[in-house]
Amino acid sequence: MAEDTPPIDEMQYEKLAQDALRGVIRSALERAASPSGIPGAHHFYITFKTRGRGVTVPPDVVAKYPDEMTVVLQHQYWDLSVEAELFSVMLKFGGMPKVLTVPYTAVTRFYDPSVQFLLQFEPPEPVVEPVAELPAPTRTDPPPPGDDDGPKVVSLDQFRKK
């Protein structure tokens, strides 16, 4: 009996669908960036990976939200700029204005509670910051006698009752 191998999705339909749904986010943000702003009672909760590829968040905000954060676009946001691959917005944190730049690929959740509309995405691969390699320690002198790092053998005879 021949084994049935699963077909290979060379079209990558899952990725195409995810990209199309991210286009919904872009379109909603384009409406929010228009002069009339977000219509009606709509407002957006946007959750994204703070260390996602291409995300720009001030260091103090990343320190407070090292993995993921949710921002709300409703009444107090400024300078919303919507581009093909990302958006940027100014929000206040502790009364201080901060600009966030977020590629759509870093978004893990988009929610408009006014109409119970939710989009959820697979989290992107985290950006791993390169770690500087330390040079291996060099030892020019031989170790002193008795200073060996091998296993130690301890005799228990001295602790036994005779």
Side-chain angles (χ1 to χ4, degrees):
M1 180 175 215
E3 279 188 42
D4 291 332
T5 57
I8 297 171
D9 180 11
E10 294 180 34
M11 292 296 293
Q12 298 181 337
Y13 284 114
E14 186 64 33
K15 182 183 179 320
L16 291 173
Q18 295 280 311
D19 290 345
L21 290 173
R22 284 190 170 95
V24 171
I25 298 171
R26 184 177 52 250
S27 294
L29 291 175
E30 284 171 346
R31 285 196 68 186
S34 73
S36 58
I38 301 174
H42 292 280
H43 54 288
F44 313 136
Y45 286 70
I46 303 171
T47 304
F48 62 95
K49 292 292 190 178
T50 55
R51 296 183 191 272
R53 187 172 312 281
V55 173
T56 305
V57 177
D60 59 322
V61 176
V62 173
K64 192 170 181 181
Y65 304 97
D67 178 49
E68 190 171 74
M69 73 180 296
T70 300
V71 295
V72 179
L73 300 186
Q74 186 171 11
H75 300 297
Q76 295 190 350
Y77 63 92
W78 299 269
D79 300 332
L80 177 60
S81 173
V82 182
E83 297 178 28
E85 302 296 321
L86 56 83
F87 70 95
S88 64
V89 66
M90 182 187 298
L91 299 170
K92 286 190 178 178
F93 293 87
M96 298 298 297
K98 313 262 181 174
V99 175
L100 312 174
T101 301
V102 182
Y104 303 114
T105 55
V107 174
T108 57
R109 206 165 178 237
F110 177 87
Y111 180 55
D112 183 342
S114 69
V115 292
Q116 301 296 303
F117 181 77
L118 171 68
L119 293 175
Q120 205 153 344
F121 301 94
E122 291 295 318
E125 293 296 320
V127 175
V128 179
E129 296 177 12
V131 177
E133 290 187 30
L134 298 175
T138 57
R139 191 176 228 178
T140 54
D141 299 332
D147 183 25
D148 93 276
D149 294 331
K152 307 276 190 257
V153 178
V154 177
S155 173
L156 298 177
D157 290 337
Q158 64 184 356
F159 300 108
R160 292 192 180 138
K161 290 185 182 179
K162 294 186 178 184

